[in-house]
Amino acid sequence: MSTATAENQLQDVVAYMQALGRQARVASRAMSRAESAAKNQALLAIADAIETSMEALKEANAKDMAAGRENGLDAALLDRLELTDERIVGMAEGLRQIANLPDPVGAIRDFKYLPSGIQLGKMRVPLGVIGIIYESRPNVTADAAGLCLKAGNAAILRGGSEALHSNQAVAACVKRGLEKAGLPAEAVQVVATKDRAAVGELIRMNDFVDVLVPRGGKGLIERISREATVPVIKHLDGICHVYVDDKADLDKAERVAVNAKTQRYGTCNTMETLLVAEAVAGEILPRLAARYREAGVELRGCAKSRAWVEMAPATEEDWATEYLAPVLSVKVVSGLDEAIDHIETFGSHHTDTIVTEDYTRARRFLREVDSSSVMVNASTRFADGFEYGLGAEIGISTDKLHARGPVGLEGLTTEKFVVFGDGHIRQ
Amino acid sequence: MSTATAENQLQDVVAYMQALGRQARVASRAMSRAESAAKNQALLAIADAIETSMEALKEANAKDMAAGRENGLDAALLDRLELTDERIVGMAEGLRQIANLPDPVGAIRDFKYLPSGIQLGKMRVPLGVIGIIYESRPNVTADAAGLCLKAGNAAILRGGSEALHSNQAVAACVKRGLEKAGLPAEAVQVVATKDRAAVGELIRMNDFVDVLVPRGGKGLIERISREATVPVIKHLDGICHVYVDDKADLDKAERVAVNAKTQRYGTCNTMETLLVAEAVAGEILPRLAARYREAGVELRGCAKSRAWVEMAPATEEDWATEYLAPVLSVKVVSGLDEAIDHIETFGSHHTDTIVTEDYTRARRFLREVDSSSVMVNASTRFADGFEYGLGAEIGISTDKLHARGPVGLEGLTTEKFVVFGDGHIRQ
């Protein structure tokens, strides 16, 4: 392609994205005014449209699958890309669940009279326009659209280019549902070009996009965080720890440490490093090692832990690795202080647990560990929007600003001050 | 200076800032554990140290003032730079007020049992390390240090280079107070170099700094927002509006519109554009014009408003200008919809007021105007941390994420999830 052609094309993409942005901004104003009933009606209508379009969705998906096979996508990617009957019904069900959630918008908290006579409160309001950037799974299109919509936002969705036909087919259902409920069709727009320049523009359209939520692998999220000028809600790593204190109930320790590692391997709230107090290492490590062996978990340990259990030596790199696999690093520590230091040094501020019966140590761990979820005697696997009762989850944030931990509808809103007076003036 | 020397010097500054960052991070852990009593003791001890160091502070300040005069700083800048007896006592008083505020850290909200049996809550915790970048006023050093400290954070402060001696003298008082209370002296560090590369490094030390709060002119804040990789709490503009509806009580309208413009001119919550409904323009505009004339406010109006009051024509640029001066732009609008459109197009999402007795219009204005403070029948001048009862203010945010509107101690904290179990595991 000649430089001139490439430049024209880039200008086209920029103009296209700017148009999406402008339309989203206009639609976001109508969405912020929409009543709960209209938003719920749209969600249910989208769910119905998805179920009645099952054949069309599968046809569009078949094109993506064929192209994916041709382009040599690996089996895991192809699996994520596929829309089966079950997954299509799952999308519709997810939207119906979102319709059932309470509407966060409009609630006013801390409403009170102040000495000057004005009445002040904080009102929960939509963020405005949310940009979602995600990889191959087309069901994210329905899920993310539903959450943004329920929180009163407009959304611009940019899925993986390998799922373009599938995503556009889902988008058509979303559009029908919005129109049926009398809401603007531009409230949810799915980017219709494979051109990567579209992402570059989306993450820098500060006038039109209020926040980005990237969903996908660490590489994608790192790249977007680095290049975006629009604020990003993200988590990069889930290097979660369980610390078994010497005052632990070892039955609870076994239950929690096994569940935190083996209940699922590929999730960000799965334990990646087990820390064990020296005084109980001889008792608990062999018990745990037997359970992990049974489950097929490979262990890598520090020198002290290898005195009790036969395993490969752990390197410095292991402490900083999110395996997302049946691998666990194990370290014997002298006690609570060393455990907290290790978590501070190598953790990712995601989710960390202490197992202990000691009141003061539990209190210290809760206060001093600087992670989005800090737990006592509970599996790290609980760190999840559904388990936390948020009803839904757009992602998990390990950032400290705005949203931290599992992010549900509330994370897709903000607050503004509202003031009521009766001609009040400042003296 | 040769390139090699310049490079060495830059490396020195980078190394110096990295050292400050590392020390701040370590100190922030001790600060996050500090009890309210220790933090308050430090605040009171710093206040005492400032008062007993009055002569030393004035001596240091005299050096800055002399250099400022020599370098031709203008009168306004020199005024801001000067530390008088009154201002020194004011710094100490401010710190005592912060000591009297409730400690936000450690509060747990929404604490409840979930279906799985775990108990979940959200605990308010310090942000960690705050970077404050500000201009000439040395009293910001004490004020910002006090707020960061009370919220359990470590702070790195970078004041204007013209105030270097003054800021270092204040820093010495802060250090003495921290040490007296048994808190780490590195909890508050004031950058001791005039080299601008220090700012460039501070705003990109994501490992060591959790959030930046720039305080100063728009130029400074824009530059930092553009170049920082660390998140920024900021506001750029205060283009605030008062809309006088045709259902307004015109006595209230006069009171509010006069106060919003004339109570102070240089503040960000001062009204810059007055919007008046066409139906009442003939009645209210001449009344208001008389009051503004009395106060010495220059008016610039749209064509319709100039039919009622003699004034210069307003240009498109006027609608987008924060005068920070006795100048007001005036526009006649057809009604609520045009008023909201104007605010959306030209406003800065800071503070906007409707004056009306109409219930439905008040409700619409509150819901639809997307600003950090939205008011009914009250002066925009109320948008302030002290007036809102926050007890203190580190700044006003017109961003939507994290903190919005006046930012007090709560804006210098974040929340984490805490989970209590009894050996609970996920099924």
Side-chain angles (χ1 to χ4, degrees):
Chain A
M1 182 162 40
S2 76
T3 310
T5 319
E7 247 168 41
N8 283 341
Q9 198 167 316
L10 181 63
Q11 278 175 2
D12 287 352
V13 173
V14 168
Y16 169 69
M17 292 306 292
Q18 291 275 331
L20 291 193
R22 249 189 309 275
Q23 286 162 13
R25 180 59 80 206
V26 171
S28 76
R29 288 181 63 191
M31 287 303 298
S32 77
R33 289 193 296 266
E35 292 185 7
S36 302
K39 294 188 285 190
N40 292 339
Q41 195 196 331
L43 287 163
L44 297 175
I46 298 168
D48 291 346
I50 284 174
E51 280 182 343
T52 55
S53 310
M54 195 176 272
E55 289 315 311
L57 287 168
K58 286 199 287 187
E59 254 174 56
N61 185 242
K63 285 188 208 166
D64 289 332
M65 290 294 287
R69 277 188 212 98
E70 208 164 294
N71 294 329
L73 290 194
D74 68 31
L77 265 173
L78 284 172
D79 175 60
R80 286 210 286 277
L81 181 56
E82 191 171 12
L83 279 181
T84 60
D85 288 18
E86 200 191 342
R87 285 179 180 176
I88 292 171
V89 172
M91 279 199 276
E93 274 315 306
L95 289 164
R96 291 187 184 113
Q97 278 171 26
I98 295 172
N100 272 327
L101 292 175
D103 187 338
V105 173
I108 301 186
R109 70 172 169 110
D110 299 342
F111 204 33
K112 63 192 166 208
Y113 280 95
L114 292 170
S116 61
I118 60 169
Q119 213 181 349
L120 175 79
K122 289 197 95 169
M123 185 194 274
R124 193 155 286 287
V125 293
L127 274 171
V129 179
I130 319 266
I132 315 256
I133 300 162
Y134 51 106
E135 290 174 333
S136 46
R137 295 191 310 151
N139 50 331
V140 172
T141 309
D143 186 37
L147 287 169
C148 291
L149 201 161
K150 177 81 184 205
N153 298 293
I156 301 177
L157 309 178
R158 211 289 183 174
S161 54
E162 67 283 4
L164 190 69
H165 295 99
S166 311
N167 288 335
Q168 290 299 328
V170 176
C173 299
V174 173
K175 190 168 177 234
R176 265 154 60 202
L178 285 166
E179 283 170 344
K180 201 160 180 185
L183 294 175
E186 297 76 23
V188 176
Q189 299 176 100
V190 180
V191 176
T193 168
K194 292 192 180 193
D195 196 321
R196 276 166 171 272
V199 175
E201 187 61 21
L202 180 61
I203 65 178
R204 294 176 159 272
M205 300 201 300
N206 293 55
D207 284 346
F208 299 131
V209 184
D210 294 294
V211 67
L212 298 168
V213 185
R215 290 175 61 158
K218 192 177 169 182
L220 172 81
I221 296 173
E222 273 182 336
R223 201 168 56 244
I224 286 169
S225 305
R226 204 172 41 238
E227 293 169 13
T229 53
V230 174
V232 178
I233 295 176
K234 66 165 188 303
H235 87 99
L236 288 173
D237 269 317
I239 302 178
C240 302
H241 300 78
V242 173
Y243 165 57
V244 178
D245 186 48
D246 52 291
K247 296 282 182 62
D249 173 328
L250 296 186
D251 293 335
K252 291 180 192 168
E254 183 179 334
R255 226 170 26 242
V256 168
V258 169
N259 183 265
K261 184 67 220 180
T262 66
Q263 206 247 346
R264 267 180 79 181
Y265 294 112
T267 44
C268 60
N269 55 17
T270 297
M271 168 177 60
E272 305 291 11
T273 300
L274 174 71
L275 303 170
V276 179
E278 193 151 20
V280 293
E283 197 175 345
I284 190 68
L285 272 183
R287 274 171 72 176
L288 282 172
R291 296 288 305 275
Y292 289 132
R293 200 175 308 122
E294 222 173 89
V297 174
E298 177 198 338
L299 300 179
R300 301 180 191 171
C302 69
K304 281 184 185 166
S305 60
R306 292 172 68 221
W308 300 107
V309 170
E310 206 174 309
M311 53 184 149
T315 65
E316 182 97 354
E317 208 193 321
D318 280 296
W319 311 130
T321 298
E322 183 182 23
Y323 301 115
L324 295 169
V327 182
L328 177 71
S329 57
V330 181
K331 187 178 187 184
V332 169
V333 293
S334 55
L336 180 61
D337 284 313
E338 195 184 340
I340 293 177
D341 280 345
H342 180 96
I343 293 170
E344 175 67 22
T345 309
F346 297 103
S348 64
H349 308 287
H350 191 296
T351 300
D352 301 288
T353 285
I354 185 173
V355 185
T356 192
E357 297 299 309
D358 186 280
Y359 165 84
T360 300
R361 293 186 194 166
R363 219 167 153 245
R364 272 196 59 204
F365 192 88
L366 284 171
R367 179 82 182 251
E368 294 178 27
V369 171
D370 183 27
S371 297
S372 71
S373 290
V374 188
M375 302 184 173
V376 180
N377 295 342
S379 169
T380 55
R381 287 281 295 126
F382 281 112
D384 171 287
F386 293 92
E387 290 293 335
Y388 280 2
L390 307 183
E393 183 184 291
I394 191 95
I396 292 190
S397 164
T398 52
D399 284 333
K400 289 183 174 179
L401 294 188
H402 188 64
R404 195 177 188 199
V407 182
L409 288 175
E410 198 179 291
L412 297 178
T413 63
T414 179
E415 288 179 306
K416 67 183 179 192
F417 285 101
V418 292
V419 173
F420 296 81
D422 197 29
H424 284 83
I425 59 171
R426 186 155 165 195
Q427 304 300 338
Chain B
M1 183 163 34
S2 76
T3 310
T5 319
E7 248 169 40
N8 283 342
Q9 198 166 317
L10 182 62
Q11 278 173 3
D12 286 352
V13 173
V14 169
Y16 169 68
M17 292 306 293
Q18 291 276 330
L20 291 194
R22 250 188 309 275
Q23 287 162 13
R25 180 60 78 207
V26 171
S28 76
R29 287 181 62 192
M31 286 303 298
S32 77
R33 289 193 296 265
E35 293 185 6
S36 302
K39 294 188 285 189
N40 291 339
Q41 197 196 330
L43 287 163
L44 297 176
I46 298 169
D48 291 346
I50 284 174
E51 280 182 344
T52 57
S53 309
M54 196 176 271
E55 289 316 309
L57 288 168
K58 286 197 288 187
E59 252 173 60
N61 185 242
K63 284 189 210 166
D64 289 332
M65 290 293 288
R69 277 187 212 100
E70 207 165 294
N71 295 328
L73 290 194
D74 68 32
L77 265 172
L78 284 172
D79 174 60
R80 286 210 286 277
L81 181 56
E82 191 170 12
L83 279 181
T84 61
D85 288 18
E86 198 191 343
R87 283 179 182 176
I88 292 170
V89 172
M91 278 199 276
E93 274 316 305
L95 290 163
R96 293 189 182 109
Q97 279 171 26
I98 295 171
N100 272 327
L101 293 175
D103 189 338
V105 173
I108 302 186
R109 69 172 169 109
D110 298 342
F111 203 34
K112 64 192 164 207
Y113 281 94
L114 291 170
S116 61
I118 60 170
Q119 213 181 348
L120 174 79
K122 288 197 97 170
M123 185 194 275
R124 192 156 288 286
V125 293
L127 274 172
V129 178
I130 319 267
I132 316 258
I133 300 162
Y134 51 105
E135 290 176 330
S136 45
R137 295 191 313 150
N139 51 330
V140 173
T141 309
D143 186 38
L147 287 168
C148 291
L149 202 161
K150 177 81 183 205
N153 298 293
I156 301 178
L157 308 179
R158 212 287 183 174
S161 54
E162 66 285 2
L164 190 69
H165 295 99
S166 312
N167 289 336
Q168 289 300 327
V170 176
C173 300
V174 174
K175 190 166 176 237
R176 266 154 59 202
L178 285 165
E179 282 170 345
K180 201 158 181 187
L183 295 175
E186 296 77 22
V188 177
Q189 298 177 100
V190 181
V191 176
T193 169
K194 292 192 180 192
D195 196 321
R196 277 167 171 273
V199 175
E201 187 61 20
L202 180 61
I203 65 178
R204 295 175 159 273
M205 300 201 299
N206 293 55
D207 284 346
F208 299 131
V209 183
D210 295 294
V211 67
L212 298 169
V213 185
R215 291 175 60 158
K218 192 177 169 182
L220 172 82
I221 296 173
E222 273 182 336
R223 200 168 58 245
I224 287 168
S225 306
R226 202 171 44 237
E227 292 169 13
T229 53
V230 175
V232 178
I233 295 177
K234 66 167 189 301
H235 88 99
L236 288 175
D237 270 317
I239 302 178
C240 302
H241 300 78
V242 173
Y243 165 58
V244 179
D245 186 48
D246 52 291
K247 295 281 182 64
D249 173 328
L250 295 186
D251 293 333
K252 292 180 193 168
E254 183 179 332
R255 223 164 35 236
V256 168
V258 169
N259 184 265
K261 183 67 220 180
T262 66
Q263 207 248 344
R264 267 182 79 182
Y265 295 113
T267 43
C268 61
N269 55 18
T270 297
M271 167 177 61
E272 304 292 11
T273 300
L274 173 70
L275 303 170
V276 179
E278 194 152 19
V280 293
E283 197 175 346
I284 189 69
L285 274 183
R287 274 171 71 176
L288 282 171
R291 296 288 306 276
Y292 289 133
R293 199 175 309 122
E294 223 172 89
V297 174
E298 179 200 336
L299 301 179
R300 300 181 192 172
C302 68
K304 280 184 186 166
S305 59
R306 293 172 70 219
W308 300 107
V309 171
E310 207 173 309
M311 54 183 147
T315 64
E316 182 96 353
E317 206 191 321
D318 281 296
W319 313 130
T321 298
E322 183 182 22
Y323 301 116
L324 295 169
V327 182
L328 178 70
S329 58
V330 181
K331 188 179 186 183
V332 169
V333 294
S334 55
L336 180 61
D337 284 313
E338 194 183 339
I340 293 177
D341 281 344
H342 181 96
I343 293 170
E344 174 67 22
T345 309
F346 296 103
S348 64
H349 308 287
H350 191 297
T351 300
D352 301 288
T353 285
I354 184 173
V355 185
T356 192
E357 297 299 309
D358 187 279
Y359 165 84
T360 299
R361 292 186 194 166
R363 219 167 154 247
R364 272 196 59 203
F365 191 88
L366 284 171
R367 178 82 184 249
E368 295 178 27
V369 171
D370 183 26
S371 298
S372 71
S373 289
V374 188
M375 303 183 173
V376 180
N377 295 341
S379 169
T380 55
R381 286 281 295 128
F382 281 113
D384 170 287
F386 293 92
E387 290 293 334
Y388 281 2
L390 307 183
E393 182 184 291
I394 190 94
I396 292 191
S397 165
T398 51
D399 283 334
K400 288 183 175 179
L401 294 189
H402 189 64
R404 194 178 190 201
V407 183
L409 288 174
E410 198 180 290
L412 297 177
T413 63
T414 179
E415 289 180 307
K416 67 184 180 192
F417 285 101
V418 292
V419 172
F420 296 80
D422 198 28
H424 285 82
I425 59 171
R426 186 155 164 193
Q427 304 300 338

